[in-house]
């Protein structure tokens, strides 16, 4: 799969779920891509690098989201 | 004069023990004076506001910190833990108060020059408050604002040869005991492998793709100074295959009282003459030692390498020469489900720097493959092992079941075979069967 194709799948997939949640586990994304986690990771890393996805962390748990979505994002983009 | 009244915190200083409140007040004062004339990059009264908000939490009986955040440094999905308070007007100094995890050096060896550099950086760009070390192992820098994160990271990575540690659903900063640098009990070089795996698994450390956190810890011997057996998803504990080396002369010297037992550690009180029968032989958990006619002998086949006798008489008894480590898996100390110790997976493996620890990396990577695919969100390896069974783990890593995996005689009379383990599988030829068995 090409990066662009993977990106479209993930952005589409996450947008569909935005009504109910804004933060996603890594495995939710691997499922959208229908890939084994270690392969999916390469694509997801690139999406973070390109600013298509952003990390969220509780300290113990990490999640992914589309930049600028969710309550927390509104509260945290302080500038 | 303190910025906020803190009667409840002040009370905490009244006990006989050292108080973090006193430490924080001292730091608050130091920042206010700013004797070095630093161009402080975050509010000068950050520590005062920290004391203030903590006092308020005590008063209200609830926290005023929000949990979690999207802050971090570019390209890293860990190492920074975002913290915001929910009373920024009252306590502007801690409106953002993010924690940075800094990877500690293997064995925690520093130079004072390095520590000074780190503290100067943190006084300048953070609150000045540190935690050496967190239970994670990392150096913890507590409290700075979002704009300072990249600045701190740049300085550390470009001028201090220093990386951030792990947090979130990452490999956490691997941690090890002081090992062969200082300790004769070390069965392998814990610092070398800790460093090697940290470098090898950079991607796992900084880019979260695991179901949850994952920890490696390395103990050079079963004394377990970093408590790997209780605190890490994969615990590497030094051990040996051959015999404990006995120096008969030194045994005599212990018995005669010329050498103090336990390296003199119990010298604070008179415990009476050293009694080898009672204090060593009698306390061996497997009962595999004998002291007869002035000679100490060990039935090494029965010895579990508990370290007791060696700890008591380190000059007479020494670890064997054929050394390696055992690998245990699945320990965790979570909030909800209760603590769990590691289970033995690999009784003995060579720790071989020559081939870059390939045998060990093979085990690690097959475990990750299994856990990343089968683990539920926020499920630690130990929970997955419990849910799917140790047998599934063995299949995943390609290790045959062996006596060392057995904890106790089984109490369940059933054996569940898989089809491929049974000759002929589940199918049978009914005509063949009827030849010997009438209806
Ligand atoms: C009553 C208040 C709090 C509760 C009930 C609480 C609960 C928790 C829980 C359940 C976790 C682990 C689960 C997770 O979210 O992924 C956690 C992790 C953490 N919390 Fe809190 N928390 C509280 C207050 C705080 C405060 C005030 C701070 C910082 C100022 C803080 C800092 C952290 C950090 C750094 C971690 C990650 C720890 C690690 O991975 O080692 N927490 N907390
Ligand atoms: C009464 C006050 C507090 C108590 C009793 C307390 C206690 C603890 C304990 C027992 C741990 C785990 C041990 C360790 O990692 O060293 C811990 C970790 C931690 N604490 Fe506190 N703490 C307090 C206040 C705070 C405050 C005010 C902050 C920050 C605003 C904070 C931030 C953290 C962080 C970030 C960790 C995780 C360290 C790591 O990564 O290992 N704590 N705390
Ligand atoms: S775990 Fe063993 S080898 Fe490591 S420092 Fe402790 S006693 Fe020494
Ligand atoms: S190491 Fe422990 S089990 Fe082995 S001989 Fe010594 S006391 Fe006994």
């Amino acid at each position: 799969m090409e990066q662009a194709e993977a990106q479209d799948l993930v952005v589409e997939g996450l947008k569909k779920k935005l009504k109910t949640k804004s933060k996603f586990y890594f495995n939710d994304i691997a499922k959208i891509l229908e890939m084994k986690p270690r392969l999916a990771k390469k694509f997801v890393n690139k999406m973070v690098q390109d600013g298509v996805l952003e990390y969220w962390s509780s300290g113990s748990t990490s999640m992914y989201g589309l930049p600028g979505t969710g309550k927390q994002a509104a509260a945290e983009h302080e500038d | 004069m303190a910025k906020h009244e803190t009667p409840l915190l002040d009370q905490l200083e009244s006990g006989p023990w050292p108080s973090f409140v006193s430490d924080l007040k001292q730091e608050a004062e130091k920042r206010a004076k700013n004797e070095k004339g630093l161009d402080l990059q975050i509010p000068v009264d950050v520590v005062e506001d920290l004391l203030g908000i903590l006092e308020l939490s005590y008063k209200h009986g609830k926290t005023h910190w929000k949990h979690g955040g999207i802050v971090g440094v570019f390209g890293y999905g860990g190492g920074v833990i975002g913290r915001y308070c929910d009373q920024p007007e009252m306590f502007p100094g801690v409106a953002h108060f993010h924690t940075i995890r800094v990877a500690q050096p293997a064995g925690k060896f520093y130079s004072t020059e390095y520590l000074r550099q780190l503290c100067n950086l943190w006084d300048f760009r953070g609150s000045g408050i540190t935690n050496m070390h967190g239970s994670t192992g990392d150096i913890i820098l507590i409290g700075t604002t979002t704009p300072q994160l990249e600045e701190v990271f740049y300085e550390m990575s470009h001028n201090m040869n220093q990386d951030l540690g792990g947090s979130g659903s990452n490999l956490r900063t691997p941690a090890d005991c002081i090992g062969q640098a200082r300790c004769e009990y070390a069965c392998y070089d814990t610092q070398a492998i800790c460093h090697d795996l940290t470098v090898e698994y950079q991607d796992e450390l900084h880019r979260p793709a695991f179901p949850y956190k994952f920890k490696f810890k390395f103990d050079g011997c079963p004394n377990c100074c970093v408590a790997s057996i209780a605190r890490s998803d994969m615990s590497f504990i030094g051990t040996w295959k051959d015999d404990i080396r006995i120096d008969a002369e030194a045994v005599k010297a212990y018995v005669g009282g010329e050498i103090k037992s336990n390296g003199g550690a119990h010298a604070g009180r008179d415990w009476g003459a050293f009694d080898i029968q009672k204090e060593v032989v009698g306390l061996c958990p497997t009962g595999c030692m004998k002291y007869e006619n002035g000679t100490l002998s060990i039935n090494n086949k029965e010895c579990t390498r508990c370290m007791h006798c060696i700890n008591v008489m380190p000059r007479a008894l020494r670890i064997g020469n054929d050394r390696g480590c055992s690998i245990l898996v699945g320990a965790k100390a979570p909030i909800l489900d209760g603590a769990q110790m590691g289970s033995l997976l690999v009784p003995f493996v060579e720790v071989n720097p020559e081939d870059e620890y390939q045998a060990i990396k093979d085990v690690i990577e097959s475990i990750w493959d299994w856990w990343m695919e089968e683990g539920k969100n926020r499920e630690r390896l130990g929970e997955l092992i419990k849910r799917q069974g140790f047998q599934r783990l063995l299949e995943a890593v390609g290790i045959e079941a062996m006596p060392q995996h057995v904890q106790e005689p089984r109490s369940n009379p059933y054996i569940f075979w898989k089809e491929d383990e049974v000759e002929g599988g589940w199918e049978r030829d009914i005509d063949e069967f009827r030849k010997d068995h009438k209806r």
Side-chain angles (χ1 to χ4, degrees):
Chain A
M1 193 185 290
E2 294 293 315
Q3 182 69 24
E5 189 189 340
Q7 184 170 318
D8 288 346
L9 272 176
V10 168
V11 173
E12 279 312 301
L14 297 190
K15 272 193 184 149
K16 258 189 246 153
K17 299 184 185 171
L18 266 182
K19 261 174 258 139
T20 47
K21 49 180 174 173
S22 61
K23 295 197 287 283
F24 302 88
Y25 286 107
F26 177 82
N27 270 344
D28 300 339
I29 299 178
K31 267 192 211 112
I32 293 177
L33 289 173
E34 295 178 354
M35 284 177 194
K36 295 213 171 214
R38 286 187 106 179
L39 181 61
K41 184 172 180 182
K42 296 199 170 63
F43 292 96
V44 173
N45 277 348
K46 184 83 172 65
M47 287 178 222
V48 173
Q49 239 174 42
D50 296 344
V52 176
L53 292 177
E54 73 183 3
Y55 294 123
W56 179 91
S57 168
S58 73
S60 327
T61 312
S62 307
M63 300 181 89
Y64 292 78
L66 298 167
T69 59
K71 250 202 315 219
Q72 184 128 12
E76 286 185 22
H77 288 296
E78 305 101 342
D79 30 38
Chain B
M1 189 52 209
K3 181 173 170 190
H4 307 283
E5 292 284 303
T6 55
L8 295 170
L9 292 182
D10 299 346
Q11 197 276 332
L12 291 177
E13 294 182 273
S14 63
W17 46 81
S19 167
F20 75 96
V21 176
S22 314
D23 285 354
L24 289 177
K25 286 181 178 173
Q26 193 185 328
E27 179 63 17
E29 227 170 275
K30 195 187 124 204
R31 279 182 80 81
K33 282 200 197 122
N34 191 9
E35 276 172 357
K36 286 188 200 151
L38 294 175
D39 177 17
L40 299 175
Q41 296 295 301
I42 76 166
V44 57
D45 51 0
V46 49
V47 186
E48 308 247 23
D49 279 353
L50 177 64
L51 287 163
I53 197 170
L54 187 56
E55 178 76 15
L56 189 68
S57 296
Y58 280 22
K59 207 164 103 193
H60 289 170
K62 59 189 168 206
T63 185
H64 287 286
W65 297 103
K66 304 182 205 171
H67 212 165
I70 52 182
V71 290
V73 297
F74 188 70
Y76 276 32
V80 176
I81 300 164
R83 290 290 175 251
Y84 298 85
C85 85
D86 64 8
Q87 292 292 352
E89 284 84 26
M90 234 186 288
F91 306 105
V94 292
H96 344 162
F97 195 71
H98 310 316
T99 295
I100 303 182
R101 284 194 179 155
V102 180
Q104 82 285 4
K108 302 203 176 87
F109 281 95
Y110 304 102
S111 65
T112 47
E113 189 200 352
Y114 169 84
L115 287 174
R116 224 170 259 129
Q117 219 181 339
L118 187 75
C119 290
N120 285 343
L121 172 64
W122 194 237
D123 283 340
F124 173 42
R125 297 203 175 272
S127 69
I129 306 169
T130 64
N131 171 8
M132 309 285 267
H133 291 249
S135 49
T136 56
D138 302 280
I139 304 163
I140 312 290
L141 305 180
I142 304 173
T144 195
T145 58
T146 308
Q148 295 307 314
L149 295 170
E150 290 288 358
E151 303 284 349
V152 171
F153 181 54
Y154 184 93
E155 182 65 22
M156 288 199 297
S157 53
H158 288 73
N159 300 326
M160 296 172 67
N161 191 24
Q162 179 61 61
D163 199 2
L164 298 188
S167 68
S169 306
N170 274 317
L171 173 64
R172 301 305 184 84
T173 318
D176 62 316
C177 78
I178 203 163
Q180 289 177 345
R182 306 272 304 165
C183 183
E184 291 181 4
Y185 302 158
C187 299
Y188 67 95
D189 188 344
T190 52
Q191 294 188 45
I193 187 173
C194 186
H195 183 258
D196 184 284
L197 295 192
T198 306
V199 173
E200 170 93 16
Y201 295 125
Q202 281 288 298
D203 196 58
E204 282 73 10
L205 237 159
H206 298 309
R207 295 182 189 86
F210 286 151
Y212 204 14
K213 61 180 94 169
F214 195 94
K215 304 180 185 178
F216 295 142
K217 294 193 196 295
F218 304 91
D219 278 306
C221 82
N223 279 335
C224 255
C225 291
V226 294
S228 67
I229 195 171
R231 307 197 303 152
S232 53
D233 300 86
M234 277 186 96
S235 151
F236 301 84
I237 303 178
T239 189
W240 61 93
K241 276 206 282 200
D242 53 348
D243 296 351
I244 292 178
R245 289 171 290 159
I246 304 179
D247 177 341
E249 287 307 307
V251 173
K252 285 204 186 85
Y254 276 104
V255 174
E258 291 108 64
I259 308 179
K260 293 271 163 280
S261 64
N262 288 87
H266 304 307
R269 201 182 122 184
D270 185 8
W271 295 88
F274 177 61
D275 180 344
I276 191 169
Q277 185 59 42
K278 183 162 148 251
E279 293 173 45
V280 180
V281 177
L283 293 179
C284 168
T286 60
C288 71
M289 307 183 85
K290 254 198 331 224
Y291 183 69
E292 273 172 358
N293 311 321
T295 305
L296 183 71
S297 59
I298 300 175
N299 177 3
N300 282 279
K301 276 182 97 103
E302 294 300 324
C303 164
T304 56
R305 283 75 171 140
C306 80
M307 294 299 289
H308 172 70
C309 59
I310 298 178
N311 291 333
V312 177
M313 307 198 296
R315 283 171 67 180
L317 301 177
R318 288 193 273 155
I319 58 171
N321 282 323
D322 188 2
R323 300 171 202 155
C325 77
S326 302
I327 304 179
L328 288 83
V329 290
K332 66 197 178 82
I335 301 168
L336 296 181
D337 213 32
Q340 185 172 305
M341 302 280 266
S343 303
L344 183 71
L345 175 65
V346 180
F348 187 90
V349 61
E350 247 197 346
V351 183
N352 187 359
E354 245 103 79
D355 69 355
E356 283 157 4
Y357 313 105
Q358 203 48 56
I360 288 173
K361 286 176 185 165
D362 289 345
V363 179
I364 292 171
E365 286 166 27
S366 55
I367 283 188
W368 281 347
D369 280 337
W370 178 53
W371 178 55
M372 285 175 78
E373 232 166 276
E374 298 288 330
K376 295 185 189 172
N377 295 328
R378 300 181 50 114
E379 185 174 54
R380 292 282 288 275
L381 177 62
E383 293 162 309
L384 174 61
I385 296 172
K386 260 190 161 171
R387 180 162 62 83
Q388 293 201 348
F390 199 80
Q391 199 180 359
R392 269 296 294 132
L393 168 71
L394 292 179
E395 284 163 18
V397 296
I399 293 176
E400 295 268 323
M402 57 186 108
Q404 287 95 330
H405 291 144
V406 178
Q407 186 171 18
E408 55 189 292
R410 70 199 166 94
S411 47
N412 179 333
Y414 295 103
I415 295 173
F416 294 96
W417 301 96
K418 296 214 186 76
E419 186 164 7
D420 61 3
E421 291 168 334
V422 178
E423 205 181 324
W426 300 154
E427 300 299 324
R428 63 175 182 181
D429 182 340
I430 191 70
D431 297 328
E432 261 318 290
F433 180 77
R434 283 292 161 233
K435 278 186 194 158
D436 292 329
H437 306 271
K438 295 210 169 78
R439 278 192 95 88

